[in-house]
Amino acid sequence: MESSKLLIALFVVQVFFPCHMSIQAAPENSDLFREYIGAEFNNVKFTDVPIDSNVEFHFILSFAIDYDSTSGSPSPTNGKFNVFWDSDNLSPSQVSSIKSTHSNVKVALSLGGDSVGDSYAYFDPSSVDSWVSNAVSSLTDIIQEYYLDGIDIDYEHFNADPDTFAECIGKLVKTLKNNGVISFASIAPFDDDDVQSHYKALWQSYGDLIDYVNFQFYAYDQGTTVSQFISYFNTQSSNYNSGKVLASFISDGSGGLTPENGFFTACSRLKSENKLHGIFVWSADDSKRNGFRYEKQSQALLAISH
C-alpha cells in the first residue's frame, strides 16, 4: 500500500513538474562562427574562406529581398523574395559542395539588408497575412533550391510599425520551422532607435524562435575601445535577454572595435565570463583582400575548448 502511494506521489510530481520544463538556460560559450557572403559581387566563393573543422560554421548569403529583381528601379513585392546575392559564384551546386566537403558547415540566407540598387530596402508589407503567405512560399522555394539550413533577418528600414514587423517575421519563422524548412533563425539589429524598436518588438513576441542575435557591433563608432565594446555587449545582452548575442567586427575596419584595436582581447574577456556565444563577420567579400586573416584568428579562439 505504501509503495503504491509512493508511485502515485511520484506520478503527481512528474505531471506537475515535468523534467523537460522549458526554462531557458543562460547562454554559454559556443564555438559558432558565422560569415556574411555574396553582397558585393567581387567573385568571392565559399572555397576561398578558411574553415576550421573544430567550429560550427555558418555562411550567410546576402541577400534575399522582397523586391523585383528585373527592373532598373526595384520596387517592393510584399513578401515575394528574390535572390540578390552573387548567385553565379554562390550557386546551389556550390552550397551543396561546401556542405558535403565540410560536415560542420551550414548555409543560411539573410533577408533585407541596407539597400537594393541605389535605394534603401524597406520592409513594406501590404498586410500581415498576405506578406507571410508570400514569404513562406517564395522563401521555401529558394531555401530548398539552394540546400539552405536557416534564415537571418536583416531589415534596416521600415514602412511598417514594430508590431506589424514582429507579427510578419515571427509568423514566417514559426511556419518555416514547423514545416521543417529551416532549423535555425537569427536577427541582425544595430543600435538605432527605429531599428531597435522593431527588433525588440519581435524579440518580445517571438524571441523563443530566434536562435542567434547577430548584433552589428561594428555600427558603433570607429575607434570603439575594448571597455566600450564590453559595455555595449552587456547592454545588448540585456535588450535581447537570454538570447545568444554574438560578438562581431567588420573586415574593412570602418566601424566598431577592430581586430587591430582589441576585438580579440574583448572576445577573450567575454569567453572568460562564459559569454562568448559566437563571432560573426561582415563580410567575406571584404576579407578576401586580406587573406581572411581574422577569420582564421576568430575560429582559432572559438575552437579552444569552450
Side-chain angles (χ1 to χ4, degrees), residues 105-134:
V105 167
K106 292 185 170 67
V107 185
L109 57 74
S110 187
L111 308 185
D114 176 57
S115 59
V116 55
D118 297 325
S119 306
Y120 286 145
Y122 281 94
F123 176 73
D124 192 10
S126 301
S127 69
V128 172
D129 289 347
S130 65
W131 190 92
V132 171
S133 176
N134 289 337

Side-chain angles (χ1 to χ4, degrees), residues 31-53:
D31 59 2
L32 176 63
F33 179 77
R34 317 187 84 205
E35 179 129 46
Y36 290 89
I37 188 168
E40 295 173 25
F41 289 80
N42 67 350
N43 301 317
V44 68
K45 297 179 173 66
F46 298 123
T47 50
D48 293 335
V49 183
I51 297 167
D52 188 318
S53 61

Side-chain angles (χ1 to χ4, degrees), residues 132-162:
V132 171
S133 176
N134 289 337
V136 167
S137 174
S138 60
L139 287 171
T140 297
D141 287 347
I142 295 170
I143 289 164
Q144 292 179 341
E145 179 189 354
Y146 278 83
Y147 311 105
L148 304 180
D149 305 286
I151 64 171
D152 175 64
I153 312 300
D154 188 25
Y155 282 105
E156 303 186 0
H157 309 281
F158 306 91
N159 282 337
D161 61 64

Side-chain angles (χ1 to χ4, degrees), residues 13-26:
V13 166
Q14 277 195 314
V15 168
F16 289 102
F17 303 99
C19 314
H20 52 77
M21 280 193 295
S22 59
I23 297 169
Q24 206 165 0

Side-chain angles (χ1 to χ4, degrees), residues 13 16 39 44 54 85 111 121 131 142 147 154 163 170 199 207 226 241 258 269 288:
V13 166
F16 289 102
V44 68
N54 296 307
W85 66 78
L111 308 185
W131 190 92
I142 295 170
Y147 311 105
D154 188 25
D163 288 340
Y199 283 94
V226 170
N241 191 27
T258 62
R269 191 175 301 173
K288 189 178 176 183

